[in-house]
Each structure stands twice: as C-alpha cells, then as structure tokens.
Amino acid sequence: MTFKKPAKQGGYKESGVLKVGLVIVAAAGLAGFSPIGWRTGDPAVERCLVEYEAIDSVVQQAGVADSGYARIEGFPYFRIDRFLASYDFTKFQPAQKTEWIGRLVEADKQARAIEIGNLPAYQRGVLFARLGRDPMQTVEACAETMRAFDHQKKEAHQALPPRAKVTGEDPAPARPTSWSKEQLAALTAPRETSPDASVFAPAAGLTMSPHAVKLVVETARTDALRIPQPKEDVTERLIAAFAPVWVVNGRADDALVLPEWREGKPATSSEVAAAYTLVTNTKFKGQALLQISYVVWFKAQPVDGLIWRVTIGPDGRPLAYDSIRTDGSGYLLLAGAGLTAPGAVAIPEVPDGDRVAVTVDASTRTISHVGAWSGQTRNLYVLTQYDRLLRLYRSAGETHSLFGPEGVLIPGGGHAPRQWGHHKLPNGAYFDSPTLFEKPAAVASQ
C-alpha cells in the first residue's frame, strides 16, 4: 500500500463486497445473478456487479486476496483504511465528498491490481474468459459506471456511512512488548558506536531543512480535505531526506535483506541492502499529517522485520518517531516538540543536515539506541517501495505477496510478520490508527 492518490473527481462511489447470489456457470458465462437494493433496472450496473463478483470469486479461490485495505459491504468498488474511516461522510461538503470517495475508489483499484496481478496464469486466463476483457479494464470501467449511478441514489448515500469502517480484529502480538525504564533511558544516552557494528546509510538523496519540508508539505495539501499529497518526485525527496542511518549489531548479511519467494516458500537475499518505504497520513489536533515508514528485514526463520516511522509535524520537523516489529510487538514512541506523551522518550536533538541513527540488534530486531549521526559510513542501502513486498517474483513470470489473505506472512507462525494495517498493539489500538498520538500515554511504554 503506497501513498493514496485520489481518483479522478466526479460522481459519488462506494466500495466493498456485495453479497449477491452469483453462479458462474461457464468459462465465458456470467449468469444467475439477481441485483438487490437500489441497484436494479440498469443493465450496465447489474453487469458490473456480476463482474466484480466473478473477480472476487477467482481471487478467493487462488488465495491471493490483499488485505491492506478493508472492503465495504455493498460497495465493490471502494476500499478503506483507518485514516479514511476516521472522517465523517455525513459532515462533508460536496467537494470533500468527491475527494474522499475518489480515495476509496483508488484504494480498491490498487488492491485489485495486486490481486489480479498475483493470480496464477491459468486462473488469470479463466477470469479473462469469463469477463471477455482484461480484468483491470472491468475494474476501471465499472468503478466509473457504479460511481455515477450511486451518486444519484439517496439509498447509497444513506448506506455508506455506517459501513465505511475497518472491521475485523487481528490478534495481539505473541511476543512481550514492554520496555523497562533502564532500556528507555539507554535509548538516547550518550554512547559510542561499537567498532564491530555495521553502519548502513541511504544510497541517494539529501536531507532537507525544516523550512523546506514545511513548504513542500503545505503546498501539497489537497483543496478539499487538506491532506498532504506530494507529487512523486517530492515524495521521493522526503523519503530520502528522513531515511535513517542503520547501525546493526550482529551479522551484516542478516540485516536489511530482501524478502523473496524461493521454491514455493518465503526466503531472503542479502545481495542488496534495502529498506521498503511507505507514505501514509495520520491526524493530530484535527490536522492531517504526513508519515513516512521505513521497513527493514532481517534473516530469521525465514524473515522478521522492523518498522521505523517518522511523523512530520506542522513545522516541518518530526513530531514523533515510533517503531514496531513487523509482528506487532515492541512498540516504541519517541515524542518530539508539540507532542505530550508521559513516559515516552524525548527525541534527541538532531542538528539540521544530520540524520537520525537507529541502532538495532540483528538477532532480536530490538532498537537499543537512537541519536544523531554525523560519522562515516561504509555500507549503503537502497530505498524501494513497500508495494514490492506484495508482488514478489515467484517463478515463470508470476508473482506472490509476502502476506496471505489475512495479512500474515505465509506460512506464518507465532511471530509471523504482518502486512501494513494489521499491527495491533496490546492495548487494542493499531499502529496505523490516526488517533494513536491523541492519547499517547496509553502507548508510550508498550
């Protein structure tokens, strides 16, 4: 799941899974469907509902459903995450409705592109035959058809708000997640870098001054909802600017590895050191803020990871850094200026032009120190998109997500890494909750 861009502005749309009585009776046939509710009497809409159900059926059979976004019951062309669900559709002005709905449409398109792209070749062919066209053509065309149709229906406007939420529960992490007072105190205490540590710096990109960051973020806000949405080139600059230096204690080739599929199961490669990046949004004091996450992986039966996240405050400086293991354990919050978080560690002073250095133990994936870095580095790592984890090369030109339909690493286990959106904290909150920093005392020392 990468940065969410709104779809083309236009009429009203909704997303989710419509539970209908569909029976696909032939490779090229779409029959047995009876539309329900307000979607009757329009052949184009009825056919789109059938085609969406056909796509969902094949995706489910193949076990390639993507759970980065949640579906919305009754609206097969929308998907949603916790940030989008935090808005109240009933209080929107028309332009705000248009932008918000566009984001739901775009979320569904992104998810379906992953699902359809990960279908085995044979099942992709079966789906093509059933639809009579490329499945993504159906997704594009039917999103526009159903959006325009539902925009005219008051029943659609009434049905959407109570369904536009992320439902379902993920289990709490299996590993203990508490931090002792001694560990928290040591995080920012002065210390020398071990001569045996491996130090990785980002291969490209320069840091940016807080003034420059504030300027590009503020000018990138959308007109209606005021959500920061920088263009691709600016996003890449921000990602590079806030990328940390990784100080790894332990085997260098066990750190910053590349997850991959090998012989039908997850594996790792240490040929290139990399961090997978994700740009998202959160809310703080009623304002939408930009967040950049860096996900690094370690070789561990077969892979385990750590997420380091930067939340950019209104002044262009980090409002907070926080981190969590990819299995949902070990949450850590470091509070910056403007964030009141009793029990949280204060962000160390990082001079303009310096990077934050994150020291981590490769064997436990535990952060032991955070501070400014101005020393020399010998190793470089590349920055790549988080979405690549959802389309790993498998064989014969086919791809497979690192995660299963439930958002957990296949084959999984007690400490199995989880997909973005499935990192549940012990207190019941989620790592991607847009209200996480509103009551930070509840999570500061998890």
Side-chain angles (χ1 to χ4, degrees):
M1 181 171 60
T2 55
F3 188 84
K4 298 128 184 131
K5 299 179 181 178
K8 297 178 181 178
Q9 293 192 356
Y12 167 66
K13 280 191 176 183
E14 316 158 25
S15 100
V17 179
L18 185 63
K19 302 301 181 181
V20 295
L22 173 68
V23 179
I24 301 177
V25 296
L30 296 169
F33 169 74
S34 294
I36 59 173
W38 64 91
R39 295 198 184 104
T40 57
D42 188 302
V45 170
E46 292 179 8
R47 179 170 180 84
C48 280
L49 291 171
V50 173
E51 290 183 325
Y52 273 125
E53 190 73 10
I55 295 172
D56 288 339
S57 176
V58 174
V59 165
Q60 184 177 10
Q61 291 171 10
V64 296
D66 180 75
S67 64
Y69 290 98
R71 296 169 180 261
I72 302 178
E73 181 187 357
F75 300 92
Y77 58 100
F78 284 174
R79 298 199 197 190
I80 196 166
D81 61 10
R82 291 184 178 86
F83 174 73
L84 294 174
S86 69
Y87 287 91
D88 187 348
F89 178 79
T90 63
K91 296 181 180 179
F92 281 154
Q93 297 299 315
Q96 294 174 318
K97 288 184 178 181
T98 297
E99 180 183 327
W100 187 73
I101 287 164
R103 289 174 177 269
L104 300 189
V105 172
E106 185 65 21
D108 182 70
K109 290 179 180 179
Q110 290 181 15
R112 289 189 183 277
I114 292 168
E115 294 169 343
I116 293 169
N118 285 339
L119 283 172
Y122 169 75
Q123 286 169 302
R124 214 161 37 236
V126 169
L127 184 56
F128 189 100
R130 289 177 175 175
L131 300 175
R133 58 181 173 179
D134 185 291
M136 284 307 299
Q137 289 181 317
T138 287
V139 172
E140 292 287 342
C142 285
E144 296 306 313
T145 296
M146 296 193 67
R147 177 173 186 164
F149 182 84
D150 283 350
H151 178 62
Q152 306 298 326
K153 300 293 183 179
K154 66 178 182 180
E155 297 94 336
H157 290 261
Q158 294 169 349
L160 178 59
R163 305 182 192 189
K165 55 188 176 182
V166 179
T167 59
E169 286 291 326
D170 294 281
R175 277 192 284 204
T177 62
S178 60
W179 292 78
S180 68
K181 292 183 179 180
E182 292 74 20
Q183 286 177 307
L184 293 175
L187 279 172
T188 57
R191 61 179 290 183
E192 296 291 330
T193 300
S194 169
D196 297 326
S198 300
V199 182
F200 297 85
L206 301 175
T207 57
M208 298 172 64
S209 69
H211 176 74
V213 172
K214 178 181 178 180
L215 181 64
V216 299
V217 171
E218 287 303 310
T219 56
R221 290 188 179 274
T222 58
D223 293 335
L225 295 178
R226 306 296 297 160
I227 298 173
Q229 185 177 292
K231 294 182 179 180
E232 185 175 351
D233 59 335
V234 177
T235 298
E236 291 176 354
R237 286 175 55 200
L238 289 169
I239 290 172
F242 286 96
V245 169
W246 294 95
V247 181
V248 179
N249 292 317
R251 289 175 53 90
D253 57 359
D254 285 349
L256 280 66
V257 299
L258 302 174
E260 59 182 29
W261 278 91
R262 193 183 306 144
E263 298 179 355
K265 59 184 179 181
T268 60
S269 169
S270 56
E271 293 182 3
V272 177
Y276 294 81
T277 63
L278 183 69
V279 178
T280 54
N281 297 107
T282 192
K283 289 180 178 178
F284 185 70
K285 295 183 178 180
Q287 185 176 17
L289 302 180
L290 202 66
Q291 293 184 308
I292 305 175
S293 295
Y294 303 85
V295 187
V296 290
W297 297 93
F298 301 83
K299 186 177 180 181
Q301 301 179 358
V303 64
D304 194 6
L306 185 72
I307 303 173
W308 176 258
R309 182 169 64 183
V310 184
T311 300
I312 301 174
D315 61 354
R317 299 179 183 275
L319 174 73
Y321 297 109
D322 59 345
S323 178
I324 197 170
R325 295 191 191 99
T326 52
D327 70 348
S329 66
Y331 181 77
L332 173 67
L333 172 63
L334 294 94
L339 178 62
T340 302
V345 180
I347 294 176
E349 186 71 25
V350 179
D352 292 350
D354 286 354
R355 294 189 183 275
V356 169
V358 181
T359 301
V360 59
D361 184 270
S363 62
T364 63
R365 280 71 68 193
T366 300
I367 294 175
S368 60
H369 190 263
V370 178
W373 178 267
S374 58
Q376 299 295 316
T377 58
R378 294 186 298 274
N379 305 299
L380 298 178
Y381 72 91
V382 298
L383 297 165
T384 189
Q385 295 179 351
Y386 183 87
D387 274 7
R388 292 183 182 275
L389 297 170
L390 311 179
R391 296 168 171 154
L392 297 176
Y393 176 80
R394 182 167 57 178
S395 63
E398 295 185 351
T399 58
H400 200 299
S401 176
L402 182 65
F403 309 100
E406 301 301 320
V408 181
L409 174 69
I410 300 173
H415 306 317
R418 304 175 186 185
Q419 187 175 351
W420 186 267
H422 294 272
H423 300 105
K424 186 176 183 179
L425 305 178
N427 68 345
Y430 278 83
F431 188 61
D432 64 319
S433 170
T435 60
L436 190 62
F437 296 153
E438 298 294 349
K439 298 180 180 179
V443 297
S445 60
Q446 291 286 336

mmCIF file with all atom_site columns, all heavy atoms in Angstrom, residues 399-412:
data_model
loop_
_atom_site.group_PDB
_atom_site.id
_atom_site.type_symbol
_atom_site.label_atom_id
_atom_site.label_alt_id
_atom_site.label_comp_id
_atom_site.label_asym_id
_atom_site.label_entity_id
_atom_site.label_seq_id
_atom_site.pdbx_PDB_ins_code
_atom_site.Cartn_x
_atom_site.Cartn_y
_atom_site.Cartn_z
_atom_site.occupancy
_atom_site.B_iso_or_equiv
_atom_site.pdbx_formal_charge
_atom_site.auth_seq_id
_atom_site.auth_comp_id
_atom_site.auth_asym_id
_atom_site.auth_atom_id
_atom_site.pdbx_PDB_model_num
ATOM 1   N N   . THR A 1 399 ? 3.905  -13.683 -9.762 1.00 0.00 ? 399 THR A N   1
ATOM 2   C CA  . THR A 1 399 ? 4.258  -13.005 -8.522 1.00 0.00 ? 399 THR A CA  1
ATOM 3   C C   . THR A 1 399 ? 3.382  -13.492 -7.377 1.00 0.00 ? 399 THR A C   1
ATOM 4   O O   . THR A 1 399 ? 2.330  -14.091 -7.585 1.00 0.00 ? 399 THR A O   1
ATOM 5   C CB  . THR A 1 399 ? 4.109  -11.481 -8.670 1.00 0.00 ? 399 THR A CB  1
ATOM 6   O OG1 . THR A 1 399 ? 2.758  -11.176 -9.050 1.00 0.00 ? 399 THR A OG1 1
ATOM 7   C CG2 . THR A 1 399 ? 5.063  -10.936 -9.704 1.00 0.00 ? 399 THR A CG2 1
ATOM 8   N N   . HIS A 1 400 ? 3.836  -13.194 -6.159 1.00 0.00 ? 400 HIS A N   1
ATOM 9   C CA  . HIS A 1 400 ? 3.114  -13.618 -4.960 1.00 0.00 ? 400 HIS A CA  1
ATOM 10  C C   . HIS A 1 400 ? 3.385  -12.611 -3.857 1.00 0.00 ? 400 HIS A C   1
ATOM 11  O O   . HIS A 1 400 ? 4.505  -12.139 -3.685 1.00 0.00 ? 400 HIS A O   1
ATOM 12  C CB  . HIS A 1 400 ? 3.604  -15.004 -4.521 1.00 0.00 ? 400 HIS A CB  1
ATOM 13  C CG  . HIS A 1 400 ? 2.640  -15.736 -3.625 1.00 0.00 ? 400 HIS A CG  1
ATOM 14  N ND1 . HIS A 1 400 ? 2.255  -15.244 -2.394 1.00 0.00 ? 400 HIS A ND1 1
ATOM 15  C CD2 . HIS A 1 400 ? 1.976  -16.911 -3.777 1.00 0.00 ? 400 HIS A CD2 1
ATOM 16  C CE1 . HIS A 1 400 ? 1.409  -16.100 -1.828 1.00 0.00 ? 400 HIS A CE1 1
ATOM 17  N NE2 . HIS A 1 400 ? 1.229  -17.107 -2.646 1.00 0.00 ? 400 HIS A NE2 1
ATOM 18  N N   . SER A 1 401 ? 2.358  -12.264 -3.104 1.00 0.00 ? 401 SER A N   1
ATOM 19  C CA  . SER A 1 401 ? 2.536  -11.378 -1.957 1.00 0.00 ? 401 SER A CA  1
ATOM 20  C C   . SER A 1 401 ? 3.300  -12.087 -0.853 1.00 0.00 ? 401 SER A C   1
ATOM 21  O O   . SER A 1 401 ? 3.213  -13.308 -0.684 1.00 0.00 ? 401 SER A O   1
ATOM 22  C CB  . SER A 1 401 ? 1.179  -10.918 -1.427 1.00 0.00 ? 401 SER A CB  1
ATOM 23  O OG  . SER A 1 401 ? 1.333  -10.136 -0.253 1.00 0.00 ? 401 SER A OG  1
ATOM 24  N N   . LEU A 1 402 ? 4.062  -11.303 -0.097 1.00 0.00 ? 402 LEU A N   1
ATOM 25  C CA  . LEU A 1 402 ? 4.721  -11.860 1.082  1.00 0.00 ? 402 LEU A CA  1
ATOM 26  C C   . LEU A 1 402 ? 3.701  -12.279 2.128  1.00 0.00 ? 402 LEU A C   1
ATOM 27  O O   . LEU A 1 402 ? 3.977  -13.135 2.968  1.00 0.00 ? 402 LEU A O   1
ATOM 28  C CB  . LEU A 1 402 ? 5.678  -10.818 1.679  1.00 0.00 ? 402 LEU A CB  1
ATOM 29  C CG  . LEU A 1 402 ? 6.492  -11.232 2.901  1.00 0.00 ? 402 LEU A CG  1
ATOM 30  C CD1 . LEU A 1 402 ? 7.476  -12.352 2.548  1.00 0.00 ? 402 LEU A CD1 1
ATOM 31  C CD2 . LEU A 1 402 ? 7.252  -10.037 3.479  1.00 0.00 ? 402 LEU A CD2 1
ATOM 32  N N   . PHE A 1 403 ? 2.511  -11.689 2.065  1.00 0.00 ? 403 PHE A N   1
ATOM 33  C CA  . PHE A 1 403 ? 1.485  -11.918 3.078  1.00 0.00 ? 403 PHE A CA  1
ATOM 34  C C   . PHE A 1 403 ? 0.299  -12.673 2.498  1.00 0.00 ? 403 PHE A C   1
ATOM 35  O O   . PHE A 1 403 ? -0.008 -12.555 1.317  1.00 0.00 ? 403 PHE A O   1
ATOM 36  C CB  . PHE A 1 403 ? 1.016  -10.579 3.654  1.00 0.00 ? 403 PHE A CB  1
ATOM 37  C CG  . PHE A 1 403 ? 2.131  -9.693  4.108  1.00 0.00 ? 403 PHE A CG  1
ATOM 38  C CD1 . PHE A 1 403 ? 2.577  -8.658  3.306  1.00 0.00 ? 403 PHE A CD1 1
ATOM 39  C CD2 . PHE A 1 403 ? 2.760  -9.908  5.320  1.00 0.00 ? 403 PHE A CD2 1
ATOM 40  C CE1 . PHE A 1 403 ? 3.621  -7.833  3.704  1.00 0.00 ? 403 PHE A CE1 1
ATOM 41  C CE2 . PHE A 1 403 ? 3.800  -9.099  5.735  1.00 0.00 ? 403 PHE A CE2 1
ATOM 42  C CZ  . PHE A 1 403 ? 4.239  -8.055  4.924  1.00 0.00 ? 403 PHE A CZ  1
ATOM 43  N N   . GLY A 1 404 ? -0.368 -13.428 3.348  1.00 0.00 ? 404 GLY A N   1
ATOM 44  C CA  . GLY A 1 404 ? -1.554 -14.157 2.944  1.00 0.00 ? 404 GLY A CA  1
ATOM 45  C C   . GLY A 1 404 ? -2.797 -13.296 3.002  1.00 0.00 ? 404 GLY A C   1
ATOM 46  O O   . GLY A 1 404 ? -2.753 -12.115 3.378  1.00 0.00 ? 404 GLY A O   1
ATOM 47  N N   . PRO A 1 405 ? -3.955 -13.863 2.668  1.00 0.00 ? 405 PRO A N   1
ATOM 48  C CA  . PRO A 1 405 ? -5.210 -13.101 2.649  1.00 0.00 ? 405 PRO A CA  1
ATOM 49  C C   . PRO A 1 405 ? -5.583 -12.486 3.991  1.00 0.00 ? 405 PRO A C   1
ATOM 50  O O   . PRO A 1 405 ? -6.339 -11.517 4.029  1.00 0.00 ? 405 PRO A O   1
ATOM 51  C CB  . PRO A 1 405 ? -6.241 -14.152 2.215  1.00 0.00 ? 405 PRO A CB  1
ATOM 52  C CG  . PRO A 1 405 ? -5.459 -15.162 1.452  1.00 0.00 ? 405 PRO A CG  1
ATOM 53  C CD  . PRO A 1 405 ? -4.132 -15.230 2.136  1.00 0.00 ? 405 PRO A CD  1
ATOM 54  N N   . GLU A 1 406 ? -5.069 -13.043 5.088  1.00 0.00 ? 406 GLU A N   1
ATOM 55  C CA  . GLU A 1 406 ? -5.372 -12.476 6.407  1.00 0.00 ? 406 GLU A CA  1
ATOM 56  C C   . GLU A 1 406 ? -4.348 -11.440 6.840  1.00 0.00 ? 406 GLU A C   1
ATOM 57  O O   . GLU A 1 406 ? -4.380 -10.949 7.970  1.00 0.00 ? 406 GLU A O   1
ATOM 58  C CB  . GLU A 1 406 ? -5.430 -13.603 7.451  1.00 0.00 ? 406 GLU A CB  1
ATOM 59  C CG  . GLU A 1 406 ? -6.471 -14.672 7.147  1.00 0.00 ? 406 GLU A CG  1
ATOM 60  C CD  . GLU A 1 406 ? -7.865 -14.094 7.051  1.00 0.00 ? 406 GLU A CD  1
ATOM 61  O OE1 . GLU A 1 406 ? -8.183 -13.204 7.864  1.00 0.00 ? 406 GLU A OE1 1
ATOM 62  O OE2 . GLU A 1 406 ? -8.630 -14.516 6.165  1.00 0.00 ? 406 GLU A OE2 1
ATOM 63  N N   . GLY A 1 407 ? -3.408 -11.102 5.955  1.00 0.00 ? 407 GLY A N   1
ATOM 64  C CA  . GLY A 1 407 ? -2.421 -10.091 6.281  1.00 0.00 ? 407 GLY A CA  1
ATOM 65  C C   . GLY A 1 407 ? -1.257 -10.603 7.097  1.00 0.00 ? 407 GLY A C   1
ATOM 66  O O   . GLY A 1 407 ? -0.571 -9.809  7.752  1.00 0.00 ? 407 GLY A O   1
ATOM 67  N N   . VAL A 1 408 ? -0.996 -11.904 7.064  1.00 0.00 ? 408 VAL A N   1
ATOM 68  C CA  . VAL A 1 408 ? 0.079  -12.515 7.835  1.00 0.00 ? 408 VAL A CA  1
ATOM 69  C C   . VAL A 1 408 ? 1.003  -13.250 6.881  1.00 0.00 ? 408 VAL A C   1
ATOM 70  O O   . VAL A 1 408 ? 0.561  -13.817 5.879  1.00 0.00 ? 408 VAL A O   1
ATOM 71  C CB  . VAL A 1 408 ? -0.477 -13.496 8.892  1.00 0.00 ? 408 VAL A CB  1
ATOM 72  C CG1 . VAL A 1 408 ? 0.654  -14.103 9.713  1.00 0.00 ? 408 VAL A CG1 1
ATOM 73  C CG2 . VAL A 1 408 ? -1.458 -12.770 9.808  1.00 0.00 ? 408 VAL A CG2 1
ATOM 74  N N   . LEU A 1 409 ? 2.298  -13.236 7.191  1.00 0.00 ? 409 LEU A N   1
ATOM 75  C CA  . LEU A 1 409 ? 3.278  -13.914 6.355  1.00 0.00 ? 409 LEU A CA  1
ATOM 76  C C   . LEU A 1 409 ? 2.916  -15.375 6.149  1.00 0.00 ? 409 LEU A C   1
ATOM 77  O O   . LEU A 1 409 ? 2.552  -16.082 7.080  1.00 0.00 ? 409 LEU A O   1
ATOM 78  C CB  . LEU A 1 409 ? 4.661  -13.831 7.012  1.00 0.00 ? 409 LEU A CB  1
ATOM 79  C CG  . LEU A 1 409 ? 5.795  -14.611 6.339  1.00 0.00 ? 409 LEU A CG  1
ATOM 80  C CD1 . LEU A 1 409 ? 6.150  -13.977 4.998  1.00 0.00 ? 409 LEU A CD1 1
ATOM 81  C CD2 . LEU A 1 409 ? 7.020  -14.659 7.233  1.00 0.00 ? 409 LEU A CD2 1
ATOM 82  N N   . ILE A 1 410 ? 2.992  -15.831 4.921  1.00 0.00 ? 410 ILE A N   1
ATOM 83  C CA  . ILE A 1 410 ? 2.814  -17.251 4.616  1.00 0.00 ? 410 ILE A CA  1
ATOM 84  C C   . ILE A 1 410 ? 4.161  -17.929 4.805  1.00 0.00 ? 410 ILE A C   1
ATOM 85  O O   . ILE A 1 410 ? 5.168  -17.452 4.298  1.00 0.00 ? 410 ILE A O   1
ATOM 86  C CB  . ILE A 1 410 ? 2.332  -17.433 3.162  1.00 0.00 ? 410 ILE A CB  1
ATOM 87  C CG1 . ILE A 1 410 ? 0.989  -16.724 2.956  1.00 0.00 ? 410 ILE A CG1 1
ATOM 88  C CG2 . ILE A 1 410 ? 2.230  -18.883 2.782  1.00 0.00 ? 410 ILE A CG2 1
ATOM 89  C CD1 . ILE A 1 410 ? 0.514  -16.710 1.513  1.00 0.00 ? 410 ILE A CD1 1
ATOM 90  N N   . PRO A 1 411 ? 4.294  -19.065 5.522  1.00 0.00 ? 411 PRO A N   1
ATOM 91  C CA  . PRO A 1 411 ? 3.224  -19.833 6.132  1.00 0.00 ? 411 PRO A CA  1
ATOM 92  C C   . PRO A 1 411 ? 2.815  -19.364 7.517  1.00 0.00 ? 411 PRO A C   1
ATOM 93  O O   . PRO A 1 411 ? 1.893  -19.900 8.106  1.00 0.00 ? 411 PRO A O   1
ATOM 94  C CB  . PRO A 1 411 ? 3.836  -21.242 6.211  1.00 0.00 ? 411 PRO A CB  1
ATOM 95  C CG  . PRO A 1 411 ? 5.292  -20.983 6.407  1.00 0.00 ? 411 PRO A CG  1
ATOM 96  C CD  . PRO A 1 411 ? 5.589  -19.759 5.582  1.00 0.00 ? 411 PRO A CD  1
ATOM 97  N N   . GLY A 1 412 ? 3.514  -18.372 8.066  1.00 0.00 ? 412 GLY A N   1
ATOM 98  C CA  . GLY A 1 412 ? 3.090  -17.824 9.354  1.00 0.00 ? 412 GLY A CA  1
ATOM 99  C C   . GLY A 1 412 ? 3.677  -18.567 10.531 1.00 0.00 ? 412 GLY A C   1
ATOM 100 O O   . GLY A 1 412 ? 4.458  -19.497 10.426 1.00 0.00 ? 412 GLY A O   1
#
